[in-house]
Amino acid sequence: MHAARNDAQGAEGAPGAAPVGTTVSVRVPGSTGNVGPGFDSLGLALGHYDTVTLTRIERGLEFDLSGEGAAGVPRGPEHLVIRAMQAAFDAAGAGELPPLRLRAHNVIPHGRGMGSSASAVVAGVLAANALLPEPHRLSPDAVLQVCSQMEGHPDNVAPTLLGGLTISYEDEGRFHSVPVRVHPDVVPVVAVPDFEVATSVARGLLPETVAHRTAAVNAGRAALLVAALGERPELLVPATFDLLHQPYRAQAMAPSFELMTRLRDLGHASLISGAGPTVLTLANGAEHAQRVAAAIEEIAADAASSAHEYQGRTVTWRVHVLRVPEEGAKVSVSTQ
């Protein structure tokens, strides 16, 4: 995505919003950032989907929210989807949002390192863009810029937008993302714990500097990971080795780090998903994925394991065998 043109730039006046009764639905996948050694640069789409539906109404702002974290999110202009929509309207020079009804069903868990905030941002920006008249819509590059600016970096929003594996970078204040096809044998297995770790807390544990040797090791493993995910899944175990961020975050998610370590000792390509605390294992084929799921259940049930206990209570894990979607978020529009 390198086209720098914003299709809305230069439009005179605020473009009219879609008529009352217009409905935009967005099915948006989750994502994992970092993918082990690819800190703030690699992202992988996960086939775990939120569904967001926006309907243009006569007046007001209405909410119908269900699923993961629905009880704890705001029901007003500060809702992340609504804020993302307004950011898109601002980028298009379209003024204030029209009256809307937001229906959202969340499947992606909040605060677990599976891209829930990035998915909300992408859903909002794409929905807002679809409500604009076609001549005033943001270009794909402008959509990436708005989403990345809201998230602070593109490593989660890019795979949510594009699907598959993405390599993202910043150049002279602009974000760019390159999609890479993932080998069909790569099967993500996620173990989602019943506790959260705020991204701000996880990021705050990182040191300001690292040794040159550490940086060199991670650069090599990140390069290997691109090859492993694209063509050589048998190399996923060495390719997911990381020294840049995971060791420093262990103290904030001891059960996750223990589970990841034990899975890697068994020969599985396990890592901390994003900023954690979900543990992601990249299996090589469906049969291997089932073995990984069984290993997770066994380790989690081991009363002697720190993956079993956390802060004086028993940790429970939800295990999902997912897929890497080849395509990103999907938008559909209908009118009454």
Side-chain angles (χ1 to χ4, degrees):
M1 300 177 68
H2 295 283
R5 184 173 65 91
N6 178 335
D7 288 345
Q9 289 175 352
E12 294 183 5
V20 171
T22 302
T23 295
V24 179
S25 294
V26 187
R27 186 171 184 258
V28 57
S31 62
T32 183
N34 304 324
V35 202
F39 183 69
D40 277 3
S41 59
L42 297 183
L44 189 68
L46 298 175
H48 216 45
Y49 294 87
D50 284 353
T51 303
V52 175
T53 302
L54 278 301
T55 301
R56 174 81 162 83
I57 59 177
E58 291 279 1
R59 61 184 62 85
L61 182 59
E62 301 176 4
F63 292 86
D64 180 6
L65 311 178
S66 62
E68 293 278 349
V73 298
R75 286 159 169 77
E78 65 274 22
H79 189 286
L80 185 54
V81 170
I82 300 299
R83 289 198 287 117
M85 293 185 72
Q86 186 60 63
F89 264 48
D90 289 344
E96 296 297 316
L97 290 175
L100 295 167
R101 179 186 301 115
L102 168 61
R103 289 193 177 95
H105 180 67
N106 300 330
V107 173
I108 304 167
H110 292 187
R112 303 298 204 281
M114 292 179 64
S116 61
S117 64
S119 297
V121 167
V122 167
V125 171
L126 291 179
N129 211 32
L131 287 173
L132 292 169
E134 189 169 353
H136 301 287
R137 290 177 187 164
L138 303 175
S139 68
D141 179 73
V143 167
L144 176 66
Q145 303 310 313
V146 173
C147 292
S148 299
Q149 288 162 7
M150 286 201 69
E151 276 285 283
H153 46 77
D155 63 332
N156 280 99
V157 300
T160 300
L161 283 167
L162 302 173
L165 173 70
T166 55
I167 306 170
S168 299
Y169 63 100
E170 184 179 357
D171 184 29
E172 296 184 350
R174 296 190 67 80
F175 298 103
H176 304 271
S177 294
V178 179
V180 179
R181 180 183 174 275
V182 175
H183 194 286
D185 286 348
V186 175
V187 181
V189 181
V190 295
V192 185
D194 62 351
F195 63 91
E196 299 181 19
V197 174
T199 301
S200 58
V201 171
R203 191 167 285 272
L205 294 171
L206 301 180
E208 289 293 328
T209 60
V210 296
H212 188 276
R213 171 64 178 165
T214 298
V217 168
N218 260 63
R221 298 304 174 101
L224 179 63
L225 181 56
V226 174
L229 284 168
E231 299 177 356
R232 300 283 301 278
E234 71 274 12
L235 295 174
L236 281 168
V237 173
T240 50
F241 179 74
D242 166 73
L243 290 173
L244 198 57
H245 65 101
Q246 290 181 163
Y248 302 105
R249 292 169 164 171
Q251 60 182 292
M253 54 192 88
S256 303
F257 199 80
E258 166 75 7
L259 177 59
M260 179 196 75
T261 301
R262 290 187 61 173
L263 287 169
R264 291 191 68 84
D265 288 345
L266 291 172
H268 305 304
S270 297
L271 50 98
I272 300 298
S273 182
T278 291
V279 176
L280 167 67
T281 303
L282 298 173
N284 185 3
E287 183 179 336
H288 183 202
Q290 293 304 319
R291 294 202 307 271
V292 169
I296 292 170
E297 299 285 1
E298 183 177 347
I299 294 168
D302 181 0
S305 169
S306 62
H308 179 83
E309 293 286 337
Y310 180 63
Q311 297 182 346
R313 63 175 181 82
T314 300
V315 176
T316 60
W317 299 83
R318 290 179 291 169
V319 180
H320 303 284
V321 178
L322 305 176
R323 65 182 183 89
V324 179
E326 294 182 359
E327 297 180 313
K330 288 293 186 182
V331 182
S332 61
V333 181
S334 62
T335 56
Q336 285 185 344

